[in-house]
Amino acid sequence: MRILNLKKTIFEKKRMYFYYLIIPFLLLIEGRFSLDVNISWISSYILIMAANSVSFSWINNQVKLFKIHIEYFWTYMAILFLTVALFPIGYILFGVYGLPVFFGVLLVAVIMGNESAMAAAVTLSTVATVVGNGSFNVFAVYIISSIGAVFLTKKFVRRFDFSKASLWSLIITTSMLLSLEIGFYPYQIHLKDLIIGGMNPFFSMFLAVGILPYVEYLSRIYSDIGLIELGNLSHPLLRELSIKAPGTYFHSVVLSNMCENAAQRIGANYVLGRVGPYFHDIGKIRRPEFFTENQHGVNPHDSISPMMNYFVVVSHVKFGEELSKKYRLPLLVEDMIKEHHGTRMVSFFYQKALSENLNVSPDDFRYPGPKPRTKESGIVMLADSCEAAVRSLKSPTPSKIRNMIEEIVNRIYNERQLDDSGLTLKDIDQIVEEFSKVLSAMYKNRIEYPKNPKEVERVIKLAKM
Ligand SMILES: [Fe+2]
Ligand SMILES: [Fe+2]
């Protein structure tokens, strides 16, 4: 274990050197392909290195997913390289305000969030400054317009949000260019700069929209727009699930409803909360009859040993993971598949093994994990157990449902399955409330119609009064 940790630390350090020293150099070489760059190599290298080190240290500490998945690091870097590779073209064709800084910032914002986009804006605006021969105006215009546009748009859930961000960038760029030119050089407004600066965000947007599906496919880091497409239930895996395991399909749809509401309530990613649960039990496509929700009287578990029972049940996680790789599902959806049972015990079959006097330990009957590492994944784990338990209630009422949910959530919390998820106690309280609402609306008893004719008459009379 210690050797593994040591190896990990060395790799982390190497990655840091690579990022702090080599990447700025490569970005610099790319950027200096632009003509007329007079600033010295050493000065430009120091500028880019400083900007890059500060911005990347910031996201490395702030954005948890960079620590969980190495793909975030490589994708972020690839987007920076791609953007800077386009700088010489923009510069030669349109001049210093034609650099597609917004293209890179927008792409990072859409797939990794606004915090990461802010870091990308710092690095890309600094490289643009080098191309602009150290001009403060260039730096100010690019960094403020790109960060401002992304934060004013807040979330990229619809395609229209791309246009909204570009419009914000256009407004900020042109107003900044106007005020800088009027402030520093009265009566010398460069119309060409204004037009190019204003059009640049739109060209960048078209480019970003066009390249987004390729980035998603290659990196398996999906934007909310890509996730919504995936969640329209026409994915081949979901169609297969609905035919082979209709019970699991129904369970997944209910879970999706629960997780979306809970994620929205606690401020987590509700699009991921809705789409991830559709796929969480996708591994049940293989041997669906071994899972309660798909059984109709016959339970094939009765004819095999407890250890075999355990292997069959646990295999749905492993097989689900294989399918998610094969179909290139988003990394965060794959996480939900692997983490929705955490390292919990399959207690039913453990008890069965004990009753058959087998020499087993509780650890022989655990899911392989890992425990949920994101809030959304933690919500799926809670929803999964709550839905199954509430479904098994004999005559569910809202209070029975609420008590059952509280009991299940407390149990999972006390097993410390949620330790790495980032869910707070306040989050958990709100999740319980949302689950109770959704499940009560679904499973509570319907008021029965009176069967006695006299009773029916009495009700009708009362209704007429
Ligand atoms: Fe499962
Ligand atoms: Fe499930």
PDB file of all heavy atoms in Angstrom, residues 248 251 280-282 284 291 293 313 316-317 336-337 340-341 367 384, ligand 1:
ATOM      1  N   THR A 248     -36.188  -3.525 -13.672  1.00  0.00           N
ATOM      2  CA  THR A 248     -35.030  -2.656 -13.419  1.00  0.00           C
ATOM      3  C   THR A 248     -35.195  -1.330 -14.145  1.00  0.00           C
ATOM      4  O   THR A 248     -34.829  -0.269 -13.630  1.00  0.00           O
ATOM      5  CB  THR A 248     -33.738  -3.356 -13.918  1.00  0.00           C
ATOM      6  OG1 THR A 248     -33.672  -4.639 -13.339  1.00  0.00           O
ATOM      7  CG2 THR A 248     -32.509  -2.565 -13.559  1.00  0.00           C
ATOM      8  N   HIS A 251     -37.524   0.771 -12.136  1.00  0.00           N
ATOM      9  CA  HIS A 251     -36.787   1.205 -10.926  1.00  0.00           C
ATOM     10  C   HIS A 251     -35.834   2.358 -11.282  1.00  0.00           C
ATOM     11  O   HIS A 251     -35.744   3.345 -10.563  1.00  0.00           O
ATOM     12  CB  HIS A 251     -36.027  -0.018 -10.389  1.00  0.00           C
ATOM     13  CG  HIS A 251     -34.841   0.264  -9.538  1.00  0.00           C
ATOM     14  ND1 HIS A 251     -34.942   0.746  -8.253  1.00  0.00           N
ATOM     15  CD2 HIS A 251     -33.499   0.123  -9.780  1.00  0.00           C
ATOM     16  CE1 HIS A 251     -33.719   0.880  -7.745  1.00  0.00           C
ATOM     17  NE2 HIS A 251     -32.837   0.506  -8.646  1.00  0.00           N
ATOM     18  N   HIS A 280     -27.562   3.251 -13.984  1.00  0.00           N
ATOM     19  CA  HIS A 280     -26.821   2.752 -12.820  1.00  0.00           C
ATOM     20  C   HIS A 280     -26.857   1.220 -12.692  1.00  0.00           C
ATOM     21  O   HIS A 280     -25.903   0.617 -12.231  1.00  0.00           O
ATOM     22  CB  HIS A 280     -27.319   3.427 -11.528  1.00  0.00           C
ATOM     23  CG  HIS A 280     -28.551   2.807 -10.955  1.00  0.00           C
ATOM     24  ND1 HIS A 280     -29.793   2.959 -11.536  1.00  0.00           N
ATOM     25  CD2 HIS A 280     -28.741   1.997  -9.872  1.00  0.00           C
ATOM     26  CE1 HIS A 280     -30.684   2.290 -10.830  1.00  0.00           C
ATOM     27  NE2 HIS A 280     -30.083   1.694  -9.820  1.00  0.00           N
ATOM     28  N   ASP A 281     -27.965   0.595 -13.119  1.00  0.00           N
ATOM     29  CA  ASP A 281     -28.072  -0.871 -13.010  1.00  0.00           C
ATOM     30  C   ASP A 281     -28.016  -1.528 -14.386  1.00  0.00           C
ATOM     31  O   ASP A 281     -28.589  -2.605 -14.580  1.00  0.00           O
ATOM     32  CB  ASP A 281     -29.399  -1.242 -12.330  1.00  0.00           C
ATOM     33  CG  ASP A 281     -29.266  -1.315 -10.814  1.00  0.00           C
ATOM     34  OD1 ASP A 281     -28.135  -1.464 -10.333  1.00  0.00           O
ATOM     35  OD2 ASP A 281     -30.292  -1.214 -10.125  1.00  0.00           O
ATOM     36  N   ILE A 282     -27.338  -0.898 -15.331  1.00  0.00           N
ATOM     37  CA  ILE A 282     -27.357  -1.379 -16.712  1.00  0.00           C
ATOM     38  C   ILE A 282     -26.758  -2.795 -16.812  1.00  0.00           C
ATOM     39  O   ILE A 282     -27.094  -3.560 -17.711  1.00  0.00           O
ATOM     40  CB  ILE A 282     -26.629  -0.361 -17.645  1.00  0.00           C
ATOM     41  CG1 ILE A 282     -27.120  -0.491 -19.064  1.00  0.00           C
ATOM     42  CG2 ILE A 282     -25.117  -0.477 -17.588  1.00  0.00           C
ATOM     43  CD1 ILE A 282     -28.491   0.020 -19.298  1.00  0.00           C
ATOM     44  N   LYS A 284     -27.540  -5.224 -15.180  1.00  0.00           N
ATOM     45  CA  LYS A 284     -28.567  -6.247 -14.949  1.00  0.00           C
ATOM     46  C   LYS A 284     -29.165  -6.768 -16.252  1.00  0.00           C
ATOM     47  O   LYS A 284     -30.033  -7.641 -16.244  1.00  0.00           O
ATOM     48  CB  LYS A 284     -29.671  -5.698 -14.031  1.00  0.00           C
ATOM     49  CG  LYS A 284     -29.193  -5.487 -12.601  1.00  0.00           C
ATOM     50  CD  LYS A 284     -30.330  -5.064 -11.689  1.00  0.00           C
ATOM     51  CE  LYS A 284     -29.816  -4.807 -10.282  1.00  0.00           C
ATOM     52  NZ  LYS A 284     -30.876  -4.275  -9.398  1.00  0.00           N
ATOM     53  N   PHE A 291     -32.641 -10.703 -10.175  1.00  0.00           N
ATOM     54  CA  PHE A 291     -32.873  -9.497  -9.380  1.00  0.00           C
ATOM     55  C   PHE A 291     -34.370  -9.349  -9.088  1.00  0.00           C
ATOM     56  O   PHE A 291     -35.198  -9.472 -10.013  1.00  0.00           O
ATOM     57  CB  PHE A 291     -32.297  -8.273 -10.095  1.00  0.00           C
ATOM     58  CG  PHE A 291     -30.816  -8.422 -10.315  1.00  0.00           C
ATOM     59  CD1 PHE A 291     -30.306  -8.987 -11.488  1.00  0.00           C
ATOM     60  CD2 PHE A 291     -29.936  -8.067  -9.304  1.00  0.00           C
ATOM     61  CE1 PHE A 291     -28.953  -9.171 -11.662  1.00  0.00           C
ATOM     62  CE2 PHE A 291     -28.569  -8.251  -9.470  1.00  0.00           C
ATOM     63  CZ  PHE A 291     -28.075  -8.801 -10.654  1.00  0.00           C
ATOM     64  N   GLU A 293     -36.684  -7.222  -8.673  1.00  0.00           N
ATOM     65  CA  GLU A 293     -37.661  -6.417  -9.426  1.00  0.00           C
ATOM     66  C   GLU A 293     -38.095  -7.072 -10.746  1.00  0.00           C
ATOM     67  O   GLU A 293     -39.102  -6.666 -11.327  1.00  0.00           O
ATOM     68  CB  GLU A 293     -37.109  -5.003  -9.672  1.00  0.00           C
ATOM     69  CG  GLU A 293     -35.884  -4.885 -10.564  1.00  0.00           C
ATOM     70  CD  GLU A 293     -34.570  -4.968  -9.816  1.00  0.00           C
ATOM     71  OE1 GLU A 293     -34.546  -5.464  -8.680  1.00  0.00           O
ATOM     72  OE2 GLU A 293     -33.538  -4.540 -10.383  1.00  0.00           O
ATOM     73  N   VAL A 313     -25.055 -11.418  -7.908  1.00  0.00           N
ATOM     74  CA  VAL A 313     -25.594 -10.088  -7.593  1.00  0.00           C
ATOM     75  C   VAL A 313     -24.535  -9.004  -7.828  1.00  0.00           C
ATOM     76  O   VAL A 313     -24.798  -7.976  -8.455  1.00  0.00           O
ATOM     77  CB  VAL A 313     -26.130 -10.063  -6.130  1.00  0.00           C
ATOM     78  CG1 VAL A 313     -26.388  -8.646  -5.681  1.00  0.00           C
ATOM     79  CG2 VAL A 313     -27.405 -10.876  -6.042  1.00  0.00           C
ATOM     80  N   HIS A 316     -23.353  -7.472 -11.457  1.00  0.00           N
ATOM     81  CA  HIS A 316     -24.042  -6.449 -12.256  1.00  0.00           C
ATOM     82  C   HIS A 316     -23.269  -5.127 -12.239  1.00  0.00           C
ATOM     83  O   HIS A 316     -23.355  -4.343 -13.175  1.00  0.00           O
ATOM     84  CB  HIS A 316     -25.502  -6.269 -11.812  1.00  0.00           C
ATOM     85  CG  HIS A 316     -25.738  -5.322 -10.676  1.00  0.00           C
ATOM     86  ND1 HIS A 316     -25.663  -5.691  -9.357  1.00  0.00           N
ATOM     87  CD2 HIS A 316     -26.062  -4.010 -10.664  1.00  0.00           C
ATOM     88  CE1 HIS A 316     -25.939  -4.656  -8.590  1.00  0.00           C
ATOM     89  NE2 HIS A 316     -26.182  -3.609  -9.350  1.00  0.00           N
ATOM     90  N   VAL A 317     -22.469  -4.921 -11.190  1.00  0.00           N
ATOM     91  CA  VAL A 317     -21.662  -3.693 -11.117  1.00  0.00           C
ATOM     92  C   VAL A 317     -20.499  -3.794 -12.109  1.00  0.00           C
ATOM     93  O   VAL A 317     -20.250  -2.880 -12.902  1.00  0.00           O
ATOM     94  CB  VAL A 317     -21.144  -3.470  -9.673  1.00  0.00           C
ATOM     95  CG1 VAL A 317     -20.187  -2.298  -9.614  1.00  0.00           C
ATOM     96  CG2 VAL A 317     -22.316  -3.246  -8.727  1.00  0.00           C
ATOM     97  N   MET A 336     -21.152   6.360 -11.182  1.00  0.00           N
ATOM     98  CA  MET A 336     -22.406   5.995 -10.493  1.00  0.00           C
ATOM     99  C   MET A 336     -22.645   4.489 -10.553  1.00  0.00           C
ATOM    100  O   MET A 336     -23.146   3.890  -9.607  1.00  0.00           O
ATOM    101  CB  MET A 336     -23.586   6.717 -11.135  1.00  0.00           C
ATOM    102  CG  MET A 336     -23.621   8.182 -10.782  1.00  0.00           C
ATOM    103  SD  MET A 336     -25.003   8.956 -11.605  1.00  0.00           S
ATOM    104  CE  MET A 336     -24.915  10.594 -10.907  1.00  0.00           C
ATOM    105  N   ILE A 337     -22.287   3.897 -11.706  1.00  0.00           N
ATOM    106  CA  ILE A 337     -22.453   2.434 -11.844  1.00  0.00           C
ATOM    107  C   ILE A 337     -21.570   1.713 -10.821  1.00  0.00           C
ATOM    108  O   ILE A 337     -22.009   0.805 -10.126  1.00  0.00           O
ATOM    109  CB  ILE A 337     -22.101   1.987 -13.285  1.00  0.00           C
ATOM    110  CG1 ILE A 337     -23.110   2.584 -14.276  1.00  0.00           C
ATOM    111  CG2 ILE A 337     -22.043   0.475 -13.400  1.00  0.00           C
ATOM    112  CD1 ILE A 337     -22.767   2.400 -15.743  1.00  0.00           C
ATOM    113  N   HIS A 340     -22.675   2.938  -6.794  1.00  0.00           N
ATOM    114  CA  HIS A 340     -24.010   3.047  -6.190  1.00  0.00           C
ATOM    115  C   HIS A 340     -24.268   2.031  -5.077  1.00  0.00           C
ATOM    116  O   HIS A 340     -25.225   2.168  -4.326  1.00  0.00           O
ATOM    117  CB  HIS A 340     -25.126   3.038  -7.255  1.00  0.00           C
ATOM    118  CG  HIS A 340     -25.417   1.714  -7.859  1.00  0.00           C
ATOM    119  ND1 HIS A 340     -24.674   1.185  -8.891  1.00  0.00           N
ATOM    120  CD2 HIS A 340     -26.384   0.799  -7.603  1.00  0.00           C
ATOM    121  CE1 HIS A 340     -25.179   0.025  -9.230  1.00  0.00           C
ATOM    122  NE2 HIS A 340     -26.213  -0.242  -8.463  1.00  0.00           N
ATOM    123  N   HIS A 341     -23.408   1.004  -4.959  1.00  0.00           N
ATOM    124  CA  HIS A 341     -23.524   0.122  -3.791  1.00  0.00           C
ATOM    125  C   HIS A 341     -22.336   0.320  -2.855  1.00  0.00           C
ATOM    126  O   HIS A 341     -22.277  -0.340  -1.810  1.00  0.00           O
ATOM    127  CB  HIS A 341     -23.565  -1.349  -4.229  1.00  0.00           C
ATOM    128  CG  HIS A 341     -24.820  -1.723  -4.944  1.00  0.00           C
ATOM    129  ND1 HIS A 341     -26.032  -1.810  -4.312  1.00  0.00           N
ATOM    130  CD2 HIS A 341     -25.061  -2.013  -6.248  1.00  0.00           C
ATOM    131  CE1 HIS A 341     -26.966  -2.146  -5.192  1.00  0.00           C
ATOM    132  NE2 HIS A 341     -26.404  -2.267  -6.373  1.00  0.00           N
ATOM    133  N   TYR A 367     -19.670  -5.445  -1.756  1.00  0.00           N
ATOM    134  CA  TYR A 367     -19.506  -4.933  -3.122  1.00  0.00           C
ATOM    135  C   TYR A 367     -18.083  -4.374  -3.233  1.00  0.00           C
ATOM    136  O   TYR A 367     -17.517  -3.904  -2.234  1.00  0.00           O
ATOM    137  CB  TYR A 367     -20.514  -3.820  -3.396  1.00  0.00           C
ATOM    138  CG  TYR A 367     -21.887  -4.310  -3.737  1.00  0.00           C
ATOM    139  CD1 TYR A 367     -22.885  -4.382  -2.760  1.00  0.00           C
ATOM    140  CD2 TYR A 367     -22.203  -4.705  -5.033  1.00  0.00           C
ATOM    141  CE1 TYR A 367     -24.157  -4.833  -3.074  1.00  0.00           C
ATOM    142  CE2 TYR A 367     -23.472  -5.158  -5.349  1.00  0.00           C
ATOM    143  CZ  TYR A 367     -24.441  -5.215  -4.375  1.00  0.00           C
ATOM    144  OH  TYR A 367     -25.702  -5.665  -4.692  1.00  0.00           O
ATOM    145  N   ASP A 384     -31.231   4.524  -4.397  1.00  0.00           N
ATOM    146  CA  ASP A 384     -31.313   3.110  -4.785  1.00  0.00           C
ATOM    147  C   ASP A 384     -31.882   2.262  -3.645  1.00  0.00           C
ATOM    148  O   ASP A 384     -32.821   1.503  -3.824  1.00  0.00           O
ATOM    149  CB  ASP A 384     -29.904   2.636  -5.167  1.00  0.00           C
ATOM    150  CG  ASP A 384     -29.919   1.286  -5.845  1.00  0.00           C
ATOM    151  OD1 ASP A 384     -30.776   1.092  -6.712  1.00  0.00           O
ATOM    152  OD2 ASP A 384     -29.084   0.441  -5.494  1.00  0.00           O
TER     153      ASP A 384
HETATM  154 FE    FE B   1     -27.365  -1.995  -8.396  1.00  0.00          FE
END
